[in-house]
Amino acid sequence: MTLHKKVGPTILLIEDEPALRDIFSTKMRMEGFNVIEAGDGVDGLSEAIDKLPSLILLDVVLPIKDGFAVLKDLKDHPKTKDIPVVFLTNLGQDFEVRKGMSLGAKNFLTKANLTPATLIDEIRKILAD
Amino acid sequence: MSVFAIVSIIFLEILTAVIAASAAFVLAKEHGERRTSHLAYFATSFAVASACFFSLFIAQVFAGHGHEASAVFAHRGSLALMALGTFFGVLGLVRIYRGAKYGLLDGLAGASLVLSLVAVVVVDAPLTSVAGVTFLFLRPEHLIAMQSVYILSLTFLLALPGKVLAQKPKTDTPVSALFFAAGIFGLLFIAVSVAGAALKLQLAAPFSLLAICCSAACLITASLAADHPDAEVRKKPFTLFSRSLVFKSVGLNTLVMWALALFLLGLTSAYFVSLNLRNRETGLRRDLLYFSKSYAGSGLQLLADAAKIADSDEVASLLAGQPDASDLDGLVNRTFGKAVIGRGVRVVGADGHVLYSTKPDEEGAPLSPSRVLERALLGTETAAIEKDENFNVWVLRAAVPVRHADGTVIAIVLATHVDIIFDFSDYNELSPIEAVGYGFVSEHGEHVYSVGASVDAVTRTTLLRAIGRFPSATHRTDDSVYFEQRVYSTDGAPNGFFYIFLTREVLDREAFRVIATVTIFSVLAMIIVNVILLFGMSVVLRPLRDLQEAARRIETEEYGKRIEYSSPDELGRLAAAFNHMQDTIEDRTVRLKAALREQQDALDNTMRELRTPLSIFRWTLEMMRYGDTGKLNKEQLELVEQLHQTNERVFRLVQNFQDAMRIERRRLVLNLVETAVEDVIDEAAGNVAVTSRQKNIVLHWKRPETPLRRAWADRTYLLKIIENLLSNAVKYTGGNGHVEVTVEESGRSSPNGREGKFLLVSVEDNGMGIPKDDQPRVFSRFFRGRQAMEGDVEGAGLGLYITKQLVELHGGEMWFRSKEGVGTTFSFTIPADRPLPDDAIDTPHSPPRT
């Protein structure tokens, strides 16, 4: 459910590594998405509640508040519970994936295997639902 | 020396019999309590051994009284009993070392028993005297056959425990060492007995019996201590005796008394034996004196009779040439009366021809030479013992000269006494002659007469030489003692001697009889005194048993019963002090329990009350986090987030604390369901995933391909257990370390635990490890590693203590292996067996079913 429609759908990227954040947000903006960036979990949650994006890309290992905690809060809050969330992370072990999926994420993408192109495809796929 | 030997042999025989009987009694009592088979066998063995030694003693008593056949029978009986007793001992020994099933060794023992018994019945063994005590004389091959069971038992005593002693690691060695020692003493017994018999050593017998006593002592202790339920006794068998106050006090008394008894016995026996011997000697000398006086009397009597005849008218008329035989016959008859049958009278002329004889065919014939006759011819009347050459018999002769008015000898009256003048059977009825034999020997060493055992020519010559010219003498040889008394003819010439003798054997038997009697009475007295002592001490020390009982009851908090013992002695004061102490303990315990409950209740309440403010914090913070209270700036949001996380930590702390309290107060109830442990590990791993990533620790958890069997667990608590272990592992592992979780099925609850179906979970890290000093305290309540990471505010979560309790509540076990600087592995098991309906409720930490 999107409440804002600006340039394209709004995507919230919560990633603590600045370089990575830059790469992904640049690519997404090139594809016509509106990107909001957040560098930690607290910021990310606040932006999500404020801006109500169409999709949230969430890293797990974040300072102050980790990705799992952020997702839990997102799902608890009525405004944000329906926003699709995709994990973008280096954690790849089965149990980590399972934890993430059990919390309600739509997908779990490993940064190592990710190319910007694959990322865009994923985004479009999920937004299409 | 001999008396000492006899005393010690008898004493030791009786002592061994009494010890064996007491041992049998004690062992039987133990068997009644413990129902162990080897105890029954050893009890029987000792009872039979006691009978064996009694039988031995009885046999010697029989021999002492001269009943040889009974003595041999009793000796054989004693040997048979020894074989039987040893057989039972072997059975008991085999039970201890080879277990309860009967096997080859028992068959071997049985065969030896049969061989021994057959040998005992069949073998021909005479009696022999060792140091004055009779035993059976056994040749080596007989001994081996009769004692084959005993020899077998010694082999077993050395081999079976010896094998245990030679093993490493050594277990229960004191008991085996005692059995081994018993075997050594047994060997010593054989060695000393054999050496003593071969070298005829008198002291060998008491020492060999001493060896058997020591062997018995070792056997008794070892058989009581073997397989004893108390491990302390198995390690130090002699504590069996030092544990009993009664034994210690009575034992010391007994030891002193028996030692004293032995000493007194030796003294009194020596005294009585020497007294007895002296009496014997005196009696025998008196007998000899009687003999010689009797002989002298006979001689004088015969002389008087002959003189009467010589002075008679009948003889005068015979000599005057008017023989009237009938008149002389009548005179003879009148003179001798009834004894005339054993008498002979001749009237011999100065030329040596028989003028008259009570035997008519002698008249006219010359007489055989006779010293008595010659003396009479020379004018002296004499009586003496002489040998009649014609008939080769010894007779008593008296010759009285008949003188003419002018004094010349014209004839001799010769009276002969041919009756046995050495027959003292009438005297024997008055006062029995207690000798082996007595007799009369002539001046030339010829045998004249003997009663009882006779002496040979060599001995007679020796005796003759011994008496020399003296009127009497005592001659002692190796095995006999002879008393000699010379007799003289009426003219004072030596005329032979009487002898009377005893053998050493007889003397020894005498000594044995005396000692045996004294010993029996002493031993009986000793036994009675011991029994009284034992009984008395048990009664006096009974309050101690009550004390022990009462002390045990305090443990189970039964304070009701007081010790009833109000005597003013030390035990009474102890009992009073104990009762007072019991009251104090009861009082204090009740108060402490109340105080503890108060404290726990207070804590409970506090915790419960904390939850409300914490909840308020939580909700407030949530609102602020979500911006419901208005938009917050970045710094504010961060602070709120920190507050939120801290609050959650406190929340968890309170929850954990309450869980811990519930476990402590045994009020935790588990909701056991079939749980897939893999799922729970998944969840736990997911929960620590971020923390471990942040520390760069790799968390290995690979879910097994095929699902494992399910555990019966309370999911919530199982999660807590695993989370606790995982977070500990992560916490105590430095950066770039790894933590690995594994799960598998197991057949035991722990490496040495009970059997069953379990799931085994292990958490292994390569962190700092647990120092060896800390390892014993890891599961204790307030343990925190000395090398705990800096900045660890949270603490050990539930704590390993509680975690372990939870695992054990489930029915599993928990343990760890750690090496400092290398890493740690914690493992625990959860049952996969369906719990029985009572299991979840009646475990030690659960509250009782109401």
Side-chain angles (χ1 to χ4, degrees), chain B residues 152-478:
Chain B
L152 189 73
S153 80
L154 282 182
T155 318
F156 283 6
L157 271 174
L158 293 172
L160 292 173
K163 196 164 130 194
V164 169
L165 287 175
Q167 281 170 350
K168 285 187 184 16
K170 300 182 190 283
T171 49
D172 280 353
T173 41
V175 171
S176 299
L178 270 179
F179 275 123
F180 195 76
I184 296 286
F185 278 120
L187 269 184
L188 210 68
F189 164 69
I190 291 187
V192 172
S193 309
V194 167
L199 304 173
K200 295 223 181 289
L201 294 170
Q202 296 222 334
L203 282 183
F207 274 113
S208 67
L209 277 172
L210 198 63
I212 261 257
C213 280
C214 293
S215 177
C218 291
L219 266 178
I220 296 168
T221 320
S223 58
L224 278 171
D227 293 340
H228 201 276
D230 189 341
E232 193 58 38
V233 169
R234 288 204 305 274
K235 260 199 291 178
K236 296 189 196 149
F238 286 107
T239 56
L240 265 176
F241 305 118
S242 57
R243 292 199 309 187
S244 167
L245 254 179
V246 170
F247 183 86
K248 277 201 263 205
S249 55
V250 173
L252 188 65
N253 282 328
T254 310
L255 215 67
V256 169
M257 280 200 309
W258 283 81
L260 196 67
L262 179 59
F263 176 68
L264 284 177
L265 193 64
L267 276 181
T268 50
S269 300
Y271 175 70
F272 279 127
V273 166
S274 73
L275 197 68
N276 198 17
L277 266 177
R278 255 209 312 278
N279 286 345
R280 266 308 189 81
E281 276 189 30
T282 314
L284 289 178
R285 275 191 229 277
R286 191 178 47 236
D287 293 339
L288 269 182
L289 223 54
Y290 177 81
F291 295 171
S292 67
K293 294 262 183 276
S294 207
Y295 159 81
S298 302
L300 288 171
Q301 179 66 49
L302 195 64
L303 203 59
D305 291 337
K308 212 167 29 163
I309 296 175
D311 286 340
S312 68
D313 297 329
E314 285 86 338
V315 164
S317 58
L318 171 71
L319 291 173
Q322 301 154 0
D324 193 347
S326 60
D327 285 348
L328 209 43
D329 282 341
L331 175 63
V332 167
N333 284 334
R334 278 198 310 278
T335 314
F336 291 115
K338 276 207 280 257
V340 71
I341 303 198
R343 306 284 183 273
V345 174
R346 300 183 192 87
V347 181
V348 180
D351 55 357
H353 280 81
V354 179
L355 298 171
Y356 163 81
S357 171
T358 43
K359 290 194 183 36
D361 34 310
E362 278 189 343
E363 283 167 19
L367 210 52
S368 58
S370 161
R371 187 182 78 84
V372 159
L373 185 59
E374 266 145 50
R375 296 280 296 175
L377 281 170
L378 292 171
T380 319
E381 55 182 34
T382 324
I385 291 217
E386 289 181 336
K387 194 166 187 184
D388 184 327
E389 301 299 337
N390 292 340
F391 299 102
N392 224 13
V393 301
W394 287 84
V395 294
L396 176 66
R397 284 217 182 97
V400 176
V402 181
R403 294 177 198 272
H404 201 256
D406 61 2
T408 50
V409 178
I410 47 171
I412 311 291
V413 171
L414 200 64
T416 312
H417 186 152
V418 298
D419 253 358
I420 302 171
I421 53 170
F422 307 104
D423 177 10
F424 299 112
S425 50
D426 56 340
Y427 174 68
N428 210 17
E429 276 150 31
L430 289 173
S431 167
I433 302 170
E434 295 182 355
V436 173
Y438 65 87
F440 191 89
V441 175
S442 76
E443 275 308 310
H444 302 290
E446 287 170 75
H447 165 270
V448 173
Y449 182 78
S450 65
V451 170
S454 57
V455 293
D456 58 10
V458 177
T459 318
R460 288 199 297 271
T461 324
T462 319
L463 288 176
L464 194 58
R465 236 191 316 226
I467 196 170
R469 298 214 160 284
F470 297 105
S472 65
T474 308
H475 174 67
R476 294 180 202 275
T477 61
D478 272 343

Side-chain angles (χ1 to χ4, degrees), chain A residues 40 42-43 45-46 49-50 60-62 64-66 68 73 76-77 91-93 95-96 98-99, chain B residues 625-626 628 631 634 637-638 641-642 644-645 682 685-687 689-690 693-694 698-701 703:
Chain A
D40 60 67
V42 175
D43 210 12
L45 180 65
S46 139
I49 295 169
D50 228 11
V60 174
V61 183
L62 296 165
I64 307 171
K65 198 178 170 92
D66 66 71
F68 292 136
D73 277 349
D76 276 345
H77 200 274
L91 303 185
Q93 295 204 62
F95 57 90
E96 293 158 327
R98 268 190 291 261
K99 167 118 187 166
Chain B
R625 263 195 357 261
Y626 290 150
D628 293 345
K631 186 139 173 73
K634 190 148 168 51
L637 279 172
E638 278 184 20
E641 180 63 32
Q642 305 273 25
H644 163 71
Q645 287 181 4
D682 263 349
N687 292 342
V690 179
R693 286 287 178 176
Q694 279 171 340
V698 181
L699 184 56
H700 281 301
W701 158 235
R703 203 183 162 112

